[in-house]
Amino acid sequence: MLKTVSRKALAALLGFLLVALALFALVKDGGAGWRWLSKGGWNTSARISALNPEERQWAQTAWRYFENNTQPQTGLVNGSDKQPRATLWQMGDTLIALLAARELGLIKEDEFDRRLSQLLGTLNRLTLTDIRTPGRLYSTQNATLVDFSGQVQKNGWSARDIARLMLALRLVSEWAPQYQEYLDKIVLRWNFCPVIDPRGELWSSSIENGKPVIREELRLGESEYAATAFRLWGFAPVQAFAPPARNVIIYRRALEVDARDPRTTWQPSLISTLPYMLPGLEFGWQPPGVERTTHQALRERARQVWLTQQTRWETEKVLTARADFALGQAPWHVDDTVWGNGYAWNTLGADGKYYPRLAQVSTKAVFPLWVLWDAPFTDALMNVTRRINDPQRGWFEGRVEATGDVNRTLTLSTNAIVLESLFYKAHGGPLFRNGLIDNGSYFNLQATDVFSAPGLCLPGERRVETKK
């Protein structure tokens, strides 16, 4: 009898200890274990766990770029090291990097509040174009419109860059809801009439020979990502979610690419890593308010982009991680592609020329690939990337494929992607919980006020036409 009771007591004690150990495993490291379980970590290819000491050092190195390049007058961060200019995309990157720095414990709450408060004030005072859209390029010293030489100049607008900032504003609003009103007010200043048309297509403008030229700037991959950002704010970018597509074949694998001819659109048709990986980091390829077929398409396209670069490594022994990057000399900016303007592994300069010797393993591509796919290929990518940084300055752009040289250019966006990727890993999955703006938000109350409508083509101010 006593032996039976003792065995039962021992079994109960062991059961209690096992449950306690399981609970401890779930809540330790800031709850990473619970996030792993609740977000399907048992059924994912991603690396989702607390950062180890080396990974924390990677994050600290990336944040150092922001510390070194913040302008005290505005809180804006230089788009390239010591160069006082930034796009709206880079301003969005700045907000996401700031949020990541707080959540990864790189800064304390008071510094987060100080930096964010200054950014909110600056973004609410950005100089707008004559038609009240935010412009393409700004001085980080005074938030005025400039050209790439830093001279004051009107420069059109970019739907792509507007979308990145809009998405970042929604992400900060989710993680720091006490600031939502001020975040909403930034977007309420902008005129969307020329940016999104009644059919839900997104448009951009540039200045050529002193005159504005309106074009469809976005291509497959970028278009759906930008449409997702607009959707978060209640817009209906129907056409932008369905750009024309066709298939190209690389290593017997079909990849979708934009079907429009770059010779007539003046926009490159390409496949690069980042537009396909950002939806994974931010939504797990399941943006809210979007049809399930779109979710499936986003995930499958990302998978094909990853697998195609892996196959090149397996068959040709060439480590490959393609993304756009910056250089310290002409052509200054390069689109490094999986497929571009008719050719696989095309490397296109901003001047439209082909630069195969500049192709590189891009830091900006390596980090999201490494986080989203735990595989020998991504381990190999990280092994040639993990030391191409200066702990006092930040992460370099990448390693040249042809020679192994390091492209020692430092940019905001590359260091922001490092932080965003590590934020995903430490958080245990996608950064957005939902993302859709609430019907009772300050933004929606203002946009739908029938007695004092802003007249800026905000959601609720006009109907979206269906294609006939």
Side-chain angles (χ1 to χ4, degrees):
M1 178 71 177
L2 288 175
K3 287 183 179 180
T4 302
V5 171
S6 298
R7 286 173 183 170
K8 287 182 178 180
L10 181 60
L13 178 61
L14 288 173
F16 173 79
L17 289 174
L18 287 173
V19 170
L21 285 171
L23 289 172
F24 175 74
L26 289 174
V27 301
K28 78 183 187 73
D29 298 325
W34 171 251
R35 291 195 298 273
W36 178 88
L37 180 64
S38 63
K39 292 175 182 294
W42 43 270
N43 188 33
T44 181
S45 59
R47 303 172 198 259
I48 48 176
S49 62
L51 303 188
N52 64 33
E54 183 183 18
E55 292 160 1
R56 285 197 59 78
Q57 181 59 54
W58 293 349
Q60 290 166 355
T61 296
W63 181 244
R64 185 57 58 86
Y65 177 92
F66 292 86
E67 292 178 326
N68 293 345
N69 280 279
T70 300
Q71 294 287 352
Q73 308 95 312
T74 62
L76 296 174
V77 178
N78 301 328
S80 295
D81 190 40
K82 309 306 180 187
Q83 300 298 312
R85 295 173 294 281
T87 64
L88 258 69
W89 181 286
Q90 291 163 336
M91 295 176 196
D93 283 344
T94 298
L95 287 170
I96 294 174
L98 177 60
L99 183 61
R102 184 188 75 167
E103 295 304 316
L104 295 175
L106 305 178
I107 59 174
K108 294 182 179 179
E109 192 69 31
D110 58 347
E111 182 176 355
F112 174 80
D113 177 78
R114 177 179 59 79
R115 284 179 173 271
L116 181 58
S117 296
Q118 189 177 24
L119 281 170
L120 291 174
T122 298
L123 293 173
N124 268 301
R125 291 189 297 271
L126 279 181
T127 302
L128 302 180
T129 66
D130 292 343
I131 56 174
R132 294 185 61 184
T133 62
R136 282 185 175 270
L137 189 67
Y138 285 87
S139 163
T140 54
Q141 295 172 323
N142 55 29
T144 58
L145 294 166
V146 295
D147 61 17
F148 282 100
S149 68
Q151 299 299 309
V152 176
Q153 186 183 71
K154 298 174 183 178
N155 50 34
W157 74 85
S158 165
R160 170 186 178 273
D161 292 359
I162 290 171
R164 179 63 170 172
L165 179 53
M166 289 170 65
L167 182 140
L169 292 168
R170 289 296 310 132
L171 185 62
V172 174
S173 184
E174 266 210 354
W175 284 82
Q178 65 270 33
Y179 301 95
Q180 181 173 333
E181 176 191 340
Y182 313 110
L183 295 160
D184 290 356
K185 287 178 177 177
I186 293 168
V187 179
L188 282 167
R189 295 180 65 221
W190 303 345
N191 178 18
F192 287 93
C193 297
V195 180
I196 179 168
D197 68 22
R199 293 186 183 276
E201 185 62 272
L202 299 174
W203 297 87
S204 299
S205 168
S206 57
I207 304 298
E208 298 180 12
N209 299 319
K211 296 181 179 180
V213 177
I214 311 297
R215 289 198 177 104
E216 295 174 287
E217 174 190 43
L218 299 164
R219 291 296 175 263
L220 190 81
E222 288 187 338
S223 185
E224 299 95 310
Y225 183 70
T228 295
F230 275 75
R231 180 69 185 87
L232 296 181
W233 287 86
F235 291 92
V238 179
Q239 291 294 96
F241 270 118
R246 64 185 180 88
N247 285 339
V248 296
I249 305 298
I250 307 177
Y251 299 125
R252 300 181 182 180
R253 182 177 289 113
L255 287 85
E256 285 189 289
V257 68
D258 198 288
R260 289 165 285 191
D261 190 335
R263 293 170 296 183
T264 59
T265 64
W266 302 97
Q267 298 294 320
S269 180
L270 52 84
I271 302 172
S272 192
T273 302
L274 208 57
Y276 299 92
M277 302 308 143
L278 286 177
L281 292 176
E282 291 155 5
F283 303 103
W285 297 287
Q286 297 182 50
V290 179
E291 293 181 356
R292 184 178 178 86
T293 54
T294 300
H295 294 170
Q296 294 168 341
L298 292 176
R299 183 182 292 275
E300 182 57 23
R301 287 171 187 163
R303 179 174 171 273
Q304 295 298 333
V305 169
W306 160 58
L307 287 175
T308 302
Q309 293 179 92
Q310 176 177 270
T311 301
R312 188 175 186 230
W313 175 63
E314 292 171 341
T315 59
E316 300 181 33
K317 307 306 177 186
V318 178
L319 277 171
T320 306
R322 295 296 182 97
D324 69 295
F325 60 86
L327 288 170
Q329 66 280 330
W332 307 107
H333 186 268
V334 175
D335 281 316
D336 210 5
T337 73
V338 174
W339 187 95
N341 283 4
Y343 300 93
W345 317 117
N346 209 350
T347 302
L348 305 167
D351 56 6
K353 296 180 181 178
Y354 177 40
Y355 292 92
R357 295 286 293 180
L358 295 181
Q360 69 174 39
V361 175
S362 175
T363 306
K364 189 189 294 183
V366 168
F367 269 86
L369 286 170
W370 177 79
V371 164
L372 290 169
W373 279 283
D374 185 350
F377 167 60
T378 56
D379 285 335
L381 288 175
M382 186 56 78
N383 284 336
V384 300
T385 302
R386 68 198 324 146
R387 293 181 180 84
I388 58 170
N389 63 69
D390 180 336
Q392 301 306 313
R393 299 175 64 212
W395 286 84
F396 301 128
E397 288 291 87
R399 187 182 293 277
V400 180
E401 275 187 12
T403 63
D405 292 328
V406 174
N407 174 2
R408 299 179 70 84
T409 307
L410 291 158
T411 66
L412 185 161
S413 289
T414 289
N415 284 278
I417 290 300
V418 171
L419 285 166
E420 182 172 349
S421 300
L422 295 173
F423 183 13
Y424 172 99
K425 182 177 186 292
H427 175 55
L431 304 184
F432 274 99
R433 301 178 183 92
N434 179 1
L436 291 174
I437 196 160
D438 186 81
N439 288 335
S441 67
Y442 181 86
F443 177 84
N444 268 343
L445 292 175
Q446 296 298 310
T448 58
D449 186 345
V450 295
F451 298 105
S452 58
L456 302 174
C457 298
L458 298 172
E461 287 195 307
R462 67 179 178 193
R463 294 181 178 272
V464 175
E465 297 177 3
T466 56
K467 191 173 182 179
K468 296 179 181 179

PDB file of all heavy atoms in Angstrom, residues 135-155:
ATOM      1  N   GLY A 135       8.047  63.858 -51.239  1.00  0.00           N
ATOM      2  CA  GLY A 135       8.962  63.780 -52.373  1.00  0.00           C
ATOM      3  C   GLY A 135       9.854  62.549 -52.367  1.00  0.00           C
ATOM      4  O   GLY A 135       9.768  61.691 -51.492  1.00  0.00           O
ATOM      5  N   ARG A 136      10.753  62.506 -53.349  1.00  0.00           N
ATOM      6  CA  ARG A 136      11.635  61.348 -53.514  1.00  0.00           C
ATOM      7  C   ARG A 136      12.856  61.384 -52.594  1.00  0.00           C
ATOM      8  O   ARG A 136      13.311  60.345 -52.127  1.00  0.00           O
ATOM      9  CB  ARG A 136      12.123  61.248 -54.967  1.00  0.00           C
ATOM     10  CG  ARG A 136      11.105  60.665 -55.917  1.00  0.00           C
ATOM     11  CD  ARG A 136      11.686  60.485 -57.312  1.00  0.00           C
ATOM     12  NE  ARG A 136      10.736  59.808 -58.189  1.00  0.00           N
ATOM     13  CZ  ARG A 136      10.660  58.492 -58.349  1.00  0.00           C
ATOM     14  NH1 ARG A 136      11.495  57.712 -57.686  1.00  0.00           N
ATOM     15  NH2 ARG A 136       9.773  57.958 -59.150  1.00  0.00           N
ATOM     16  N   LEU A 137      13.413  62.559 -52.350  1.00  0.00           N
ATOM     17  CA  LEU A 137      14.679  62.636 -51.613  1.00  0.00           C
ATOM     18  C   LEU A 137      14.681  63.879 -50.739  1.00  0.00           C
ATOM     19  O   LEU A 137      14.266  64.959 -51.172  1.00  0.00           O
ATOM     20  CB  LEU A 137      15.853  62.676 -52.600  1.00  0.00           C
ATOM     21  CG  LEU A 137      17.254  62.541 -51.995  1.00  0.00           C
ATOM     22  CD1 LEU A 137      17.443  61.139 -51.401  1.00  0.00           C
ATOM     23  CD2 LEU A 137      18.325  62.807 -53.048  1.00  0.00           C
ATOM     24  N   TYR A 138      15.180  63.710 -49.510  1.00  0.00           N
ATOM     25  CA  TYR A 138      15.176  64.798 -48.532  1.00  0.00           C
ATOM     26  C   TYR A 138      16.565  65.003 -47.921  1.00  0.00           C
ATOM     27  O   TYR A 138      17.348  64.049 -47.768  1.00  0.00           O
ATOM     28  CB  TYR A 138      14.200  64.485 -47.398  1.00  0.00           C
ATOM     29  CG  TYR A 138      12.755  64.664 -47.779  1.00  0.00           C
ATOM     30  CD1 TYR A 138      12.035  63.626 -48.382  1.00  0.00           C
ATOM     31  CD2 TYR A 138      12.102  65.872 -47.552  1.00  0.00           C
ATOM     32  CE1 TYR A 138      10.709  63.790 -48.736  1.00  0.00           C
ATOM     33  CE2 TYR A 138      10.773  66.053 -47.897  1.00  0.00           C
ATOM     34  CZ  TYR A 138      10.081  65.010 -48.493  1.00  0.00           C
ATOM     35  OH  TYR A 138       8.759  65.184 -48.848  1.00  0.00           O
ATOM     36  N   SER A 139      16.819  66.247 -47.543  1.00  0.00           N
ATOM     37  CA  SER A 139      17.969  66.532 -46.694  1.00  0.00           C
ATOM     38  C   SER A 139      17.655  66.014 -45.295  1.00  0.00           C
ATOM     39  O   SER A 139      16.583  66.300 -44.739  1.00  0.00           O
ATOM     40  CB  SER A 139      18.221  68.042 -46.640  1.00  0.00           C
ATOM     41  OG  SER A 139      19.068  68.358 -45.545  1.00  0.00           O
ATOM     42  N   THR A 140      18.575  65.250 -44.714  1.00  0.00           N
ATOM     43  CA  THR A 140      18.363  64.774 -43.345  1.00  0.00           C
ATOM     44  C   THR A 140      18.659  65.865 -42.325  1.00  0.00           C
ATOM     45  O   THR A 140      18.337  65.712 -41.140  1.00  0.00           O
ATOM     46  CB  THR A 140      19.240  63.547 -43.049  1.00  0.00           C
ATOM     47  OG1 THR A 140      20.607  63.861 -43.352  1.00  0.00           O
ATOM     48  CG2 THR A 140      18.798  62.349 -43.869  1.00  0.00           C
ATOM     49  N   GLN A 141      19.237  66.995 -42.779  1.00  0.00           N
ATOM     50  CA  GLN A 141      19.573  68.082 -41.870  1.00  0.00           C
ATOM     51  C   GLN A 141      18.406  69.033 -41.636  1.00  0.00           C
ATOM     52  O   GLN A 141      18.273  69.605 -40.555  1.00  0.00           O
ATOM     53  CB  GLN A 141      20.776  68.855 -42.404  1.00  0.00           C
ATOM     54  CG  GLN A 141      22.046  68.003 -42.430  1.00  0.00           C
ATOM     55  CD  GLN A 141      23.200  68.693 -43.133  1.00  0.00           C
ATOM     56  OE1 GLN A 141      22.999  69.387 -44.132  1.00  0.00           O
ATOM     57  NE2 GLN A 141      24.402  68.486 -42.638  1.00  0.00           N
ATOM     58  N   ASN A 142      17.542  69.199 -42.683  1.00  0.00           N
ATOM     59  CA  ASN A 142      16.435  70.142 -42.520  1.00  0.00           C
ATOM     60  C   ASN A 142      15.111  69.662 -43.115  1.00  0.00           C
ATOM     61  O   ASN A 142      14.145  70.410 -43.158  1.00  0.00           O
ATOM     62  CB  ASN A 142      16.806  71.508 -43.097  1.00  0.00           C
ATOM     63  CG  ASN A 142      17.241  71.420 -44.548  1.00  0.00           C
ATOM     64  OD1 ASN A 142      16.806  70.531 -45.291  1.00  0.00           O
ATOM     65  ND2 ASN A 142      18.112  72.331 -44.963  1.00  0.00           N
ATOM     66  N   ALA A 143      15.055  68.399 -43.599  1.00  0.00           N
ATOM     67  CA  ALA A 143      13.819  67.776 -44.103  1.00  0.00           C
ATOM     68  C   ALA A 143      13.228  68.517 -45.296  1.00  0.00           C
ATOM     69  O   ALA A 143      12.008  68.531 -45.482  1.00  0.00           O
ATOM     70  CB  ALA A 143      12.781  67.650 -42.982  1.00  0.00           C
ATOM     71  N   THR A 144      14.082  69.128 -46.125  1.00  0.00           N
ATOM     72  CA  THR A 144      13.626  69.772 -47.359  1.00  0.00           C
ATOM     73  C   THR A 144      13.950  68.900 -48.561  1.00  0.00           C
ATOM     74  O   THR A 144      14.848  68.056 -48.518  1.00  0.00           O
ATOM     75  CB  THR A 144      14.284  71.147 -47.538  1.00  0.00           C
ATOM     76  OG1 THR A 144      15.717  70.988 -47.543  1.00  0.00           O
ATOM     77  CG2 THR A 144      13.888  72.097 -46.428  1.00  0.00           C
ATOM     78  N   LEU A 145      13.229  69.115 -49.652  1.00  0.00           N
ATOM     79  CA  LEU A 145      13.437  68.344 -50.875  1.00  0.00           C
ATOM     80  C   LEU A 145      14.759  68.727 -51.528  1.00  0.00           C
ATOM     81  O   LEU A 145      15.042  69.917 -51.722  1.00  0.00           O
ATOM     82  CB  LEU A 145      12.288  68.591 -51.850  1.00  0.00           C
ATOM     83  CG  LEU A 145      10.918  68.067 -51.401  1.00  0.00           C
ATOM     84  CD1 LEU A 145       9.814  68.671 -52.261  1.00  0.00           C
ATOM     85  CD2 LEU A 145      10.876  66.556 -51.477  1.00  0.00           C
ATOM     86  N   VAL A 146      15.552  67.717 -51.892  1.00  0.00           N
ATOM     87  CA  VAL A 146      16.856  67.972 -52.507  1.00  0.00           C
ATOM     88  C   VAL A 146      17.099  66.971 -53.629  1.00  0.00           C
ATOM     89  O   VAL A 146      16.381  65.974 -53.779  1.00  0.00           O
ATOM     90  CB  VAL A 146      18.005  67.858 -51.481  1.00  0.00           C
ATOM     91  CG1 VAL A 146      17.895  68.942 -50.410  1.00  0.00           C
ATOM     92  CG2 VAL A 146      18.028  66.467 -50.831  1.00  0.00           C
ATOM     93  N   ASP A 147      18.175  67.221 -54.421  1.00  0.00           N
ATOM     94  CA  ASP A 147      18.638  66.236 -55.393  1.00  0.00           C
ATOM     95  C   ASP A 147      19.817  65.479 -54.776  1.00  0.00           C
ATOM     96  O   ASP A 147      20.175  65.696 -53.609  1.00  0.00           O
ATOM     97  CB  ASP A 147      19.010  66.907 -56.721  1.00  0.00           C
ATOM     98  CG  ASP A 147      20.137  67.928 -56.581  1.00  0.00           C
ATOM     99  OD1 ASP A 147      20.856  67.902 -55.543  1.00  0.00           O
ATOM    100  OD2 ASP A 147      20.313  68.754 -57.494  1.00  0.00           O
ATOM    101  N   PHE A 148      20.447  64.601 -55.559  1.00  0.00           N
ATOM    102  CA  PHE A 148      21.503  63.757 -54.990  1.00  0.00           C
ATOM    103  C   PHE A 148      22.784  64.526 -54.675  1.00  0.00           C
ATOM    104  O   PHE A 148      23.659  64.015 -53.975  1.00  0.00           O
ATOM    105  CB  PHE A 148      21.797  62.584 -55.921  1.00  0.00           C
ATOM    106  CG  PHE A 148      20.772  61.483 -55.814  1.00  0.00           C
ATOM    107  CD1 PHE A 148      19.763  61.367 -56.753  1.00  0.00           C
ATOM    108  CD2 PHE A 148      20.795  60.588 -54.757  1.00  0.00           C
ATOM    109  CE1 PHE A 148      18.806  60.362 -56.655  1.00  0.00           C
ATOM    110  CE2 PHE A 148      19.843  59.589 -54.638  1.00  0.00           C
ATOM    111  CZ  PHE A 148      18.838  59.475 -55.586  1.00  0.00           C
ATOM    112  N   SER A 149      22.901  65.747 -55.171  1.00  0.00           N
ATOM    113  CA  SER A 149      24.043  66.581 -54.795  1.00  0.00           C
ATOM    114  C   SER A 149      23.749  67.408 -53.551  1.00  0.00           C
ATOM    115  O   SER A 149      24.626  68.120 -53.048  1.00  0.00           O
ATOM    116  CB  SER A 149      24.405  67.519 -55.960  1.00  0.00           C
ATOM    117  OG  SER A 149      23.383  68.484 -56.161  1.00  0.00           O
ATOM    118  N   GLY A 150      22.509  67.312 -53.049  1.00  0.00           N
ATOM    119  CA  GLY A 150      22.132  68.047 -51.854  1.00  0.00           C
ATOM    120  C   GLY A 150      21.537  69.408 -52.127  1.00  0.00           C
ATOM    121  O   GLY A 150      21.196  70.142 -51.186  1.00  0.00           O
ATOM    122  N   GLN A 151      21.373  69.768 -53.411  1.00  0.00           N
ATOM    123  CA  GLN A 151      20.791  71.053 -53.761  1.00  0.00           C
ATOM    124  C   GLN A 151      19.265  70.988 -53.682  1.00  0.00           C
ATOM    125  O   GLN A 151      18.659  69.978 -54.048  1.00  0.00           O
ATOM    126  CB  GLN A 151      21.219  71.451 -55.183  1.00  0.00           C
ATOM    127  CG  GLN A 151      22.720  71.597 -55.357  1.00  0.00           C
ATOM    128  CD  GLN A 151      23.303  72.668 -54.459  1.00  0.00           C
ATOM    129  OE1 GLN A 151      22.812  73.798 -54.428  1.00  0.00           O
ATOM    130  NE2 GLN A 151      24.340  72.311 -53.715  1.00  0.00           N
ATOM    131  N   VAL A 152      18.659  72.074 -53.229  1.00  0.00           N
ATOM    132  CA  VAL A 152      17.195  72.131 -53.135  1.00  0.00           C
ATOM    133  C   VAL A 152      16.590  71.945 -54.518  1.00  0.00           C
ATOM    134  O   VAL A 152      16.965  72.637 -55.475  1.00  0.00           O
ATOM    135  CB  VAL A 152      16.739  73.464 -52.526  1.00  0.00           C
ATOM    136  CG1 VAL A 152      15.217  73.560 -52.518  1.00  0.00           C
ATOM    137  CG2 VAL A 152      17.283  73.611 -51.106  1.00  0.00           C
ATOM    138  N   GLN A 153      15.670  71.001 -54.630  1.00  0.00           N
ATOM    139  CA  GLN A 153      15.085  70.703 -55.940  1.00  0.00           C
ATOM    140  C   GLN A 153      13.806  69.889 -55.778  1.00  0.00           C
ATOM    141  O   GLN A 153      13.725  68.997 -54.938  1.00  0.00           O
ATOM    142  CB  GLN A 153      16.074  69.906 -56.803  1.00  0.00           C
ATOM    143  CG  GLN A 153      15.600  69.677 -58.224  1.00  0.00           C
ATOM    144  CD  GLN A 153      16.571  68.814 -59.018  1.00  0.00           C
ATOM    145  OE1 GLN A 153      16.688  67.623 -58.776  1.00  0.00           O
ATOM    146  NE2 GLN A 153      17.265  69.432 -59.953  1.00  0.00           N
ATOM    147  N   LYS A 154      12.811  70.202 -56.605  1.00  0.00           N
ATOM    148  CA  LYS A 154      11.617  69.363 -56.676  1.00  0.00           C
ATOM    149  C   LYS A 154      11.995  68.061 -57.371  1.00  0.00           C
ATOM    150  O   LYS A 154      12.757  68.059 -58.331  1.00  0.00           O
ATOM    151  CB  LYS A 154      10.520  70.080 -57.461  1.00  0.00           C
ATOM    152  CG  LYS A 154      10.057  71.394 -56.833  1.00  0.00           C
ATOM    153  CD  LYS A 154       9.074  72.115 -57.722  1.00  0.00           C
ATOM    154  CE  LYS A 154       8.687  73.459 -57.128  1.00  0.00           C
ATOM    155  NZ  LYS A 154       7.752  74.201 -58.020  1.00  0.00           N
ATOM    156  N   ASN A 155      11.428  66.946 -56.897  1.00  0.00           N
ATOM    157  CA  ASN A 155      11.900  65.663 -57.437  1.00  0.00           C
ATOM    158  C   ASN A 155      10.814  64.599 -57.570  1.00  0.00           C
ATOM    159  O   ASN A 155      11.102  63.413 -57.579  1.00  0.00           O
ATOM    160  CB  ASN A 155      13.053  65.118 -56.579  1.00  0.00           C
ATOM    161  CG  ASN A 155      12.744  65.107 -55.093  1.00  0.00           C
ATOM    162  OD1 ASN A 155      11.597  64.897 -54.700  1.00  0.00           O
ATOM    163  ND2 ASN A 155      13.750  65.329 -54.262  1.00  0.00           N
TER     164      ASN A 155
END
